[in-house]
Amino acid sequence: MEATEKVHCLIIGSGPAGYTAAIYASRAGLKPVLYQGIQPGGQLTITTEVENYPGYPEGIMGPEMMQHFEKQAARMGADIRYGIATKVDFSGPVHKVQIDEEKWIEADAVIISTGASAKWLGLESEQRLNGYGVSACAVCDGFFFKGKEVAIVGAGDTAAEEALYLSKICSRVHMIVRRDEMRASKVMQERVKNTSNITVYWNSEIDEVLGDKKVEAVRIRNNKSGDKQEVPVSAFFVAIGHQPNSDIFKPWIEMDEAGYIKTIPGSSRTNVEGVFAAGDVQDKIYRQAVTAAGSGCMAALDAERYLSAKGLH
Ligand code: NDP
């Protein structure tokens, strides 16, 4: 027989959205239980300096900021736990969430704040050399390749922004773009084109990341001519977008075609009564720490109103 625990308000995920929801839910007396997920603290724990979060006039390092969020949620009384939500059952009035493939939690209200993760190309060599020169975060890891040649794949605003960032640290940035144009905004494209140490490879894809124990080169394939060339680099950055962490909710929660959870405009409510969503898992537009925190606040307030209306609080 699997163990079951009953809680009032369950929060899944520990980025700015989850912790802010925990702060508000605690202060409202909902006694929230928060499971931190695979990456406690979320995406900000793999960034360096955050300069645009209000309240930190000198800026702050991402991991430190997330420690502050956690500390504040704990001080308000949130029950913060290690653990990953592995399955859900939202068929009944009481919402069931399985943790670590073992224990089931029954919750009156659930706040989903599982965030989004970087997308990968899916090459074996990319996976094997991840952390050994392959990275999905130029701002986190660019520093390690100061003065070196690096490559980056992607052509959106993130790729353009990261290529420009790398161009200031590295001797040359090889930017691999799969079509003959970039998706990035015009201003970012212009900046990339006007930066002398960024070389753009149009109509090109990464055939393989080369290197035994660390990245030594990338093999680039022109998808028009089929020609291949090897470019020696010390690092390979992947900037091809993000994937919302919403897979386990798929059978129950309405999402868009990319997997972002749909919320009722102006609220954090999902199609399932008593289940709310906040942060990057439901936001593909703003994706900022401050907007995630704001939506976490909305989710806690919506949860409290829902529980009151149901006579559960
Ligand atoms: P996007 O989805 O906008 O862009 C992803 C890019 O990666 C596209 O150019 C796409 O190519 C390319 N790509 C996807 N899959 C592959 C693949 N398998 N191989 C090669 N290339 C691939 O993601 P971003 O993260 O760049 O941006 C997400 C959102 O955030 C956007 O709305 C963006 O405007 C916004 N943003 C805004 C910023 C700002 O304003 N300062 C900064 C960063 C992001 P293709 O074009 O061919 O599909």
Side-chain angles (χ1 to χ4, degrees), residues 119-122 153-162 175-185 187-188 191 204-206 238-242 260 284-288:
K119 278 190 196 163
W120 299 97
L121 293 174
V153 63
D157 280 320
T158 303
E161 207 169 80
E162 298 206 336
M175 185 170 187
I176 291 88
V177 175
R178 69 177 172 184
R179 290 186 293 134
D180 59 1
E181 60 175 350
M182 286 187 200
R183 182 183 294 271
S185 52
V187 55
M188 295 301 278
R191 279 189 207 161
S204 295
E205 287 169 40
I206 293 290
V238 182
I240 60 168
H242 286 79
Y260 287 90
K284 62 174 168 190
I285 299 170
Y286 302 106
R287 309 184 325 135
Q288 299 301 302

Side-chain angles (χ1 to χ4, degrees), residues 2-312:
E2 287 156 327
T4 301
E5 180 186 354
K6 177 88 179 57
V7 308
H8 207 32
C9 173
L10 179 68
I11 300 170
I12 312 171
S14 58
Y19 282 139
T20 305
I23 292 165
Y24 273 78
S26 300
R27 295 186 83 243
L30 302 185
K31 296 189 174 65
V33 170
L34 179 150
Y35 277 93
Q36 290 180 310
I38 292 171
Q39 193 175 12
Q43 289 189 81
L44 279 167
T45 59
I46 54 160
T47 58
T48 51
E49 200 171 2
V50 180
E51 289 187 324
N52 54 8
Y53 198 90
Y56 293 103
E58 310 302 330
I60 183 161
M61 300 306 275
E64 193 186 349
M65 185 165 100
M66 293 322 297
Q67 282 171 10
H68 291 176
F69 270 72
E70 181 178 352
K71 231 168 144 180
Q72 192 173 355
R75 190 169 78 85
M76 293 301 143
D79 181 348
I80 298 166
R81 305 175 183 176
Y82 285 116
I84 299 164
T86 42
K87 204 178 191 179
V88 300
D89 175 353
F90 290 160
S91 58
V94 174
H95 310 301
K96 297 178 188 156
V97 177
Q98 191 193 44
I99 304 296
D100 294 334
E101 291 180 344
E102 286 174 9
K103 170 181 173 167
W104 282 89
I105 304 269
E106 291 186 354
D108 296 320
V110 176
I111 296 174
I112 302 171
S113 46
T114 44
S117 303
K119 278 190 196 163
W120 299 97
L121 293 174
L123 298 170
E124 179 279 325
S125 52
E126 170 196 56
Q127 214 183 343
R128 182 170 50 81
L129 294 166
N130 197 341
Y132 299 91
V134 173
S135 163
C137 179
V139 180
C140 322
D141 299 325
F143 178 77
F144 300 120
F145 306 99
K146 210 172 172 183
K148 304 265 172 63
E149 297 209 10
V150 299
I152 184 165
V153 63
D157 280 320
T158 303
E161 207 169 80
E162 298 206 336
L164 289 164
Y165 176 85
L166 291 167
S167 73
K168 296 187 188 110
I169 311 172
C170 304
S171 58
R172 179 150 299 278
V173 181
H174 302 273
M175 185 170 187
I176 291 88
V177 175
R178 69 177 172 184
R179 290 186 293 134
D180 59 1
E181 60 175 350
M182 286 187 200
R183 182 183 294 271
S185 52
K186 280 278 170 293
V187 55
M188 295 301 278
Q189 291 191 34
E190 283 310 311
R191 279 189 207 161
V192 166
K193 287 174 192 164
N194 292 331
T195 303
S196 60
N197 66 337
I198 301 180
T199 309
V200 179
Y201 298 71
W202 301 102
N203 297 308
S204 295
E205 287 169 40
I206 293 290
D207 197 48
E208 208 66 74
V209 188
L210 304 171
D212 185 15
K213 292 207 163 59
K214 60 183 175 60
V215 173
E216 284 161 15
V218 286
R219 190 162 63 225
I220 301 170
R221 186 184 64 247
N222 184 297
N223 56 28
K224 288 263 189 286
S225 65
D227 291 348
K228 292 183 185 177
Q229 59 174 311
E230 278 183 26
V231 178
V233 291
S234 303
F236 172 56
F237 293 93
V238 182
I240 60 168
H242 286 79
Q243 180 70 40
N245 299 320
S246 60
D247 275 1
I248 60 165
F249 308 107
K250 240 163 218 161
W252 312 100
I253 300 285
E254 276 179 16
M255 299 171 191
D256 70 9
E257 62 292 341
Y260 287 90
I261 292 178
K262 287 187 183 171
T263 49
I264 293 165
S267 83
S268 65
R269 283 180 287 144
T270 68
N271 61 304
V272 176
E273 255 209 342
V275 178
F276 307 88
D280 284 8
V281 73
Q282 54 85 55
D283 172 19
K284 62 174 168 190
I285 299 170
Y286 302 106
R287 309 184 325 135
Q288 299 301 302
V290 67
T291 48
S295 70
C297 159
M298 288 166 65
L301 295 178
D302 286 343
E304 199 222 340
R305 281 172 200 153
Y306 165 79
L307 292 169
S308 294
K310 287 271 168 199
L312 295 166

